Amino acid sequence: MANSDKNKQYERSDNDQVSQKKHQRASERRVVNSIAGWIIVIIVILILTFGVLGYNYVQESLQPLNSNNHQEIEVKIPVGSSNKEIASRLQQKKIIRSATVFNYYVKSHNYTDFQAGYYTFKPSMTLTQIVARLQKGGSSEHIAQPDHNVLVREGVTLEQIGDAISKKTPYSKKQFLALMKDQKFLKQLQNLYPQLLESTMKSKNVRYHLEGYLFPATYPYYNGMSLKKLVTMMVAKTNQELTPYYEQIKTKDLTVQQALTLASLVEREGVTEKDRRMIAGVFFNRLDENMPLQSDISVMYVLNKHKRSLTRKETRVKSPYNLYKNAGFGPGPFNSPSINSVLAVLNPAERDKGYLYFVANLKTGKVYYSTNYSQHLETISSIGQ
């Protein structure tokens, strides 16, 4: 009887434990279900929130970046740019809000005919306006105002051009002059402009092959422009200016190097068109007589300084550029001549008078011409020089 009571007691205890466990599991399930419910609610809220934010972001990105900003901003679209790359450039230049949205907009409208070139856009433009401009096509040259202008004056040397570049661009004179010695770059230019540069690249003992080949003009510099591109622009300008005269240079039995060498001397020796043509005639007469040109400009180039007059010792300085000591044209140009000086060389005046000497009055600028040395000395004495 006692054992029967104990067994009943154990059964009740086991049943109680089972009941407690069931209750505990039910309680845990309620907690898990509650947590899962909250997680679902939070996820739904997040989805809705991000959906609203994303929708607002897309809608906002479809609008102009700044409706009140009408500033023209230049953008270059390289050949072969994908829509994604174009969108990235527009965002970097602060033309659009989002490259991602722009790319989506372009894809959704199936726009695929964008063209390369230089464009100007405004932050106030809509995506539709931007797309229309990209479809129309850009310019092959810069459109926007340059950040700086580099002035190459008539009759300046490469050393002086280096000074001008260092003042208006991030590039130093040292970098510029190093580029003037870069044979790979010079070869690239020769391939671009063979008619212009063939003779200078063949010349020996040349200080700089591009001396005389950077045309006097004002050149635009844009932030980010490479030094090579700036120099190429200057060489291209020279080629453009000389193209109408290549045949005439050849007819006169001159190379481009020789024509520019004489033009660089004429540029600095004469002021008026008449004097430049007559001085050119003197140089040709001396060349025909196998006489040294004896131009002070050549010695000043060797000495790398400008002087009103030279000493006898200076005229004997040893250099292939010294045209007091060496007959002929010398290695090459001494500065960047103007087109007027080139034309003076191609159209020399009064050669038939046989002038072999000239001297300028340093006070009045008047130039006197002589056929022989004794007459030349008399003229110098008469003007007190």
Side-chain angles (χ1 to χ4, degrees), residues 339-350:
I339 195 64
N340 289 333
S341 291
V342 174
L343 292 177
V345 169
L346 297 179
N347 301 280
E350 300 189 23

Side-chain angles (χ1 to χ4, degrees), residues 154-158 210-214 216 256-270 276 279-280 283 293 295-298 300-301 321 323 329-346 358:
E154 297 171 347
V156 297
T157 65
L158 282 185
L210 292 185
E211 187 77 81
Y213 290 83
L214 306 188
V256 174
Q257 181 82 332
Q258 291 170 337
L260 288 179
T261 297
L262 291 182
S264 69
L265 295 175
V266 167
E267 180 71 40
R268 294 284 300 278
E269 295 280 15
R276 286 178 173 176
I279 290 170
F283 286 147
L293 296 183
S295 170
D296 289 0
I297 303 305
S298 68
M300 292 178 193
Y301 184 77
Y321 279 97
L323 298 186
F329 295 87
F334 302 90
N335 56 62
S336 291
S338 64
I339 195 64
N340 289 333
S341 291
V342 174
L343 292 177
V345 169
L346 297 179
F358 67 90

Side-chain angles (χ1 to χ4, degrees), residues 29-49:
R29 280 197 295 272
R30 285 195 297 272
V31 170
V32 170
N33 290 336
S34 177
I35 293 173
W38 278 107
I39 290 174
I40 291 172
V41 170
I42 292 171
I43 290 174
V44 170
I45 292 173
L46 288 174
I47 291 173
L48 291 174
T49 301

